[in-house]
Amino acid sequence: MEKFEREIRESKFAELMNKHFAASSIPKGIHCLSLRLTDEYSSNAHARRQLPSPELLPLLSDNSYHHFILSTDNILAASVVVTSAVQSSLKPEKIVFHVITDKKTYAGMHSWFALNPVSPAIVEVKGIHQFDWLTRENVPVLEAVENHDGIRNYYHGNHVAGANLSDTTPRTFASKLQARSPKYISLLNHLRIYIPELFPHLDKVVFLDDDIVIQRDLSPLWEIDLGGKVNGAVETCRGEDEWVMSKRFRNYFNFSHPLIAKHLDPEECAWAYGMNIFDLRAWRKTNIRETYHSWLKENLKSNLTMWKLGTLPPALIAFKGHVHPIDPLWHLLGLGYQNKTSIESVKKAAVIHYNGQSKPWLQIGFEHLRPFWAKYVNYSNDFVRNCHILET
């Protein structure tokens, strides 16, 4: 019996490791899509056409429009976010999408939206390299994060070496693996903290993660009075679900660290990144970015002992006192964590968020939750078809 229990336990840890690798890798179909669209950019003038067309350029900074910001290197995911927003909107002609990507994906991303316009909505595609403000001098912390040997090893190294699996439960091990996703040291992932500088002429925007689907008209978000606050977000400490909706600061921070214990309250309610209303005028009057940078530096100095997981912890600190809670029906989280998510809740939510490892574009995505995402994939598109996206 002991031998069998040991074997079951070992197989569970192996399963978690395999799932982590599956979640961190790029599926062949999505890699193919990016390569083919990049090739199209170099050979097809239509794929290189200006986005948006010159006469629409003034609308990119027109505050009477609804501006969405999406930062991603996943072309398929970006297409679903934009398509779902446009199809769900009562006034798609008022939508402006600012899609930001990295240098290697820029040509492919541009090709996709040039060849697959979502009129009457407007789409702009920009590479990080095209933002004059986004220089290394302005983001020194991120250079440190990317170049710090200990950090690179933490996110890209051997996740089993040094781990005492006999003293670890599978669930704790799963949480630790989730915290070691390489995306957490990506500049694209940290980019949201620079939105006021990247879009100096905009007053109010909605920031979206690439693993969301929009199911309702989001124009009422611009009517929400944030009461002078910077960030309109759904609180994540009010639900029963222990994986996603019962999160307080103690779930993210190491309160045995003296700096954390001194400045933070372990019972303070956490909130969700992924669908946020940002009042950029209010933001520009704060020191949110400086606070974010200084705490990132402290965590680097402490060798990541203050928190481990990505961009949310420093944001929880930086936006402290600047968050206005919005109705949870605007943003349903957790579709990438567990298959227990209620289908009825999914149908009611304005935005559904596949945060967690089981992304809908991966084979490990939950089969009964994937259709809510897949219905916005254009399977008749030649590039999608030729790359066999999500075909088993």
Side-chain angles (χ1 to χ4, degrees):
M1 284 295 289
E2 283 179 2
K3 181 173 178 286
F4 280 134
E5 280 179 10
R6 191 168 61 250
E7 286 175 356
I8 290 168
R9 186 180 163 80
E10 285 170 1
S11 68
K12 184 67 181 170
F13 282 115
E15 178 195 345
L16 291 169
M17 275 304 298
N18 289 337
K19 191 171 183 184
H20 173 74
F21 290 131
S24 304
S25 61
I26 300 168
K28 191 163 62 174
I30 288 178
H31 183 57
C32 160
L33 186 68
S34 183
L35 289 178
R36 289 190 178 217
L37 285 164
T38 300
D39 185 50
E40 195 72 9
Y41 185 84
S42 62
S43 60
N44 180 350
H46 291 296
R48 290 193 302 276
R49 73 180 178 84
Q50 188 173 338
L51 282 179
S53 51
E55 68 275 13
L56 298 176
L57 286 176
L59 303 183
L60 296 179
S61 52
D62 185 335
N63 283 296
S64 67
Y65 282 72
H66 297 147
H67 294 267
F68 292 94
I69 295 173
L70 172 66
S71 171
T72 180
D73 61 356
N74 185 328
I75 297 168
L76 186 68
S79 77
V80 167
V81 175
V82 174
T83 302
S84 66
V86 173
Q87 289 187 16
S88 303
S89 174
L90 298 176
K91 293 181 180 173
E93 69 279 3
K94 297 291 285 181
I95 289 178
V96 179
F97 256 97
H98 305 268
V99 180
I100 307 171
T101 191
D102 57 17
K103 198 169 185 176
K104 75 178 186 319
T105 314
Y106 171 75
M109 189 76 78
H110 187 106
S111 291
W112 177 268
F113 287 106
L115 298 172
N116 301 281
V118 287
S119 56
I122 295 163
V123 177
E124 167 191 42
V125 177
K126 289 199 84 166
I128 290 175
H129 57 289
Q130 294 173 317
F131 285 101
D132 296 335
W133 183 86
L134 209 61
T135 62
R136 284 295 173 197
E137 295 76 53
N138 286 328
V139 286
V141 176
L142 296 178
E143 184 166 33
V145 168
E146 288 174 353
N147 295 334
H148 190 288
D149 285 342
I151 289 177
R152 291 200 65 77
N153 189 50
Y154 179 79
Y155 286 101
H156 293 284
N158 185 337
H159 299 334
V160 178
N164 188 352
L165 298 184
S166 60
D167 288 346
T168 306
T169 65
R171 176 159 179 170
T172 305
F173 186 62
S175 297
K176 285 180 177 174
L177 286 178
Q178 171 73 8
R180 292 174 79 155
S181 169
K183 72 174 186 176
Y184 291 127
I185 54 171
S186 152
L187 178 52
L188 281 174
N189 210 33
H190 288 269
L191 205 64
R192 61 196 100 189
I193 207 69
Y194 307 114
I195 288 173
E197 289 80 20
L198 301 183
F199 298 95
H201 304 296
L202 296 183
D203 294 340
K204 204 172 197 180
V205 301
V206 168
F207 180 88
L208 300 170
D209 272 353
D210 66 359
D211 52 354
I212 62 112
V213 173
I214 296 162
Q215 305 187 122
R216 300 276 181 278
D217 176 44
L218 295 189
S219 54
L221 290 176
W222 274 263
E223 308 307 318
I224 293 175
D225 181 3
L226 297 181
K229 305 287 190 188
V230 172
N231 177 3
V234 167
E235 290 184 313
T236 54
C237 67
R238 312 264 178 225
E240 300 302 313
D241 158 34
E242 58 182 322
W243 270 103
V244 182
M245 294 305 288
S246 55
K247 299 291 190 186
R248 295 184 182 273
F249 275 30
R250 58 180 147 77
N251 299 103
Y252 295 100
F253 297 101
N254 171 18
F255 275 88
S256 63
H257 192 288
L259 263 182
I260 295 292
K262 181 181 174 186
H263 292 280
L264 303 181
D265 173 7
E267 294 309 309
E268 187 162 340
C269 191
W271 45 267
Y273 247 168
M275 198 285 291
N276 302 82
I277 314 157
F278 289 131
D279 182 336
L280 301 186
R281 281 177 302 184
W283 189 336
R284 291 184 188 107
K285 296 172 189 168
T286 70
N287 61 348
I288 286 171
R289 175 165 57 91
E290 291 74 15
T291 305
Y292 187 91
H293 276 187
S294 65
W295 279 89
L296 262 182
K297 283 178 183 169
E298 287 298 333
N299 197 31
L300 283 174
K301 273 197 270 179
S302 76
N303 207 20
L304 299 184
T305 55
M306 294 159 77
W307 70 80
K308 297 288 190 198
L309 184 64
T311 51
L312 182 57
L316 289 174
I317 302 174
F319 284 103
K320 225 165 106 57
H322 298 292
V323 179
H324 176 82
I326 62 173
D327 191 316
L329 282 174
W330 282 115
H331 185 189
L332 177 71
L333 296 113
L335 276 73
Y337 274 115
Q338 55 197 349
N339 55 14
K340 293 191 206 122
T341 307
S342 152
I343 294 294
E344 284 311 306
S345 300
V346 172
K347 288 177 180 172
K348 284 182 201 162
V351 171
I352 53 174
H353 193 170
Y354 291 83
N355 58 316
Q357 286 182 315
S358 301
K359 304 297 185 197
W361 55 82
L362 299 174
Q363 295 294 348
I364 58 172
F366 298 123
E367 288 298 329
H368 66 299
L369 297 176
R370 182 177 285 135
F372 293 96
W373 179 86
K375 70 180 181 181
Y376 295 106
V377 176
N378 181 3
Y379 288 103
S380 63
N381 178 279
D382 284 346
F383 290 99
V384 172
R385 205 172 63 243
N386 292 336
C387 286
H388 310 290
I389 301 283
L390 273 184
E391 283 183 11
T392 51

